[in-house]
Amino acid sequence: MAIRRILHYPDKRLRDPGQPVTEFGPALEKLVEDMAETMYAAPGVGLAATQIGEPIRLFIVDVATGDDDPSDLKVFVNPEIVKKVGTQCWEEGCLSFPGVHEEVERAEVVTVRAQNEKGEHFELEADGLLAVAIQHENDHLDGKLMIDHLGLIRRRLVHRAMSKRAASDAAAE
Ligand code: NI
C-alpha cells in the first residue's frame, strides 16, 4: 500500500471527469487500497480517484467516527445516484480544500447503484452524513467541487484563500 498525493484546488486535474471503469482486477484493488490508506492518513471520510489524479469513476467513503465505531469502508465503482429525497445542510470539508469548511445543501436521502472493487453490483440507500459523503464524492467524478455549491461571495473568498495557499506551497517546494 502507498499513500498517494492528494491534489489541492485549484489544480485543474480536479476538473477532469472520471471515465467509467471497465477492468476489474488486481490493479483496481491495489488502487482502492492506496486510496483507503491515503484517506485514513489524511484523515477524511471520503476520497475520489480524481483527487489523486486517476480520472476514473471510483470513490470510497468511511463515515465511522473512530474508536468505538469500527471502520466501515464502502467502495463505489461506476456509481449512479438514482434517487434523491429531501434536503439537508452540513458543514463540509474536502481533502482537496485543506482548512476549508463550508455549509452545503444536499439531498437528505439518496439511493445509489454502483459496483464494488470486484465488479459486483449493489444498491444502497443512505441518509445523514453517509448521504452527504456519497453526493460530495460523486460530484468529484464529474469534476464538480464543493466550491461550486457556494454563493458568489463565499466562492470568491475560498478561491482566493486556496490560490494563495497554492502559491506559497509552490514557493516552498
Ligand atoms: Ni472532496
Side-chain angles (χ1 to χ4, degrees):
M1 295 208 292
I3 290 182
R4 304 281 295 261
R5 183 173 181 168
I6 297 172
L7 304 177
H8 290 168
Y9 180 90
D11 193 304
K12 287 188 169 54
R13 285 169 289 177
L14 290 168
R15 293 300 189 184
D16 292 340
Q19 299 303 312
V21 173
T22 53
E23 271 193 46
F24 293 82
L28 188 72
E29 286 176 32
K30 165 84 168 59
L31 177 60
V32 169
E33 281 178 15
D34 285 356
M35 285 174 61
E37 192 178 9
T38 304
M39 178 182 74
Y40 290 129
V45 298
L47 183 68
T50 51
Q51 288 180 275
I52 57 165
E54 300 280 353
I56 60 170
R57 302 193 80 77
L58 157 66
F59 67 78
I60 60 172
V61 297
D62 187 346
V63 298
T65 49
D67 300 345
D68 301 335
D69 206 359
S71 73
D72 183 21
L73 183 68
K74 290 185 166 60
V75 179
F76 298 82
V77 181
N78 299 326
E80 198 184 343
I81 295 176
V82 294
K83 195 176 170 191
K84 292 184 177 187
V85 180
T87 57
Q88 59 175 334
C89 256
W90 281 74
E91 195 168 271
E92 296 186 16
C94 178
L95 294 176
S96 295
F97 290 79
V100 174
H101 299 276
E102 293 287 337
E103 204 154 271
V104 176
E105 187 178 291
R106 306 268 184 191
E108 187 180 9
V109 185
V110 295
T111 305
V112 56
R113 285 189 194 135
Q115 287 164 277
N116 65 16
E117 67 273 33
K118 294 186 172 66
E120 296 159 348
H121 292 264
F122 67 94
E123 186 175 298
L124 175 79
E125 189 183 274
D127 61 9
L129 178 57
L130 181 58
V132 169
I134 287 169
Q135 291 170 85
H136 177 118
E137 299 311 326
N138 196 61
D139 271 359
H140 274 298
L141 305 188
D142 294 323
K144 189 168 182 183
L145 304 171
M146 190 175 108
I147 193 171
D148 304 333
H149 290 274
L150 305 180
L152 185 62
I153 293 170
R154 296 303 307 164
R155 194 153 73 222
R156 282 196 179 148
L157 285 171
V158 170
H159 176 77
R160 197 175 305 164
M162 289 300 304
S163 300
K164 212 179 265 181
R165 187 195 159 107
S168 69
D169 284 355
E173 266 170 18

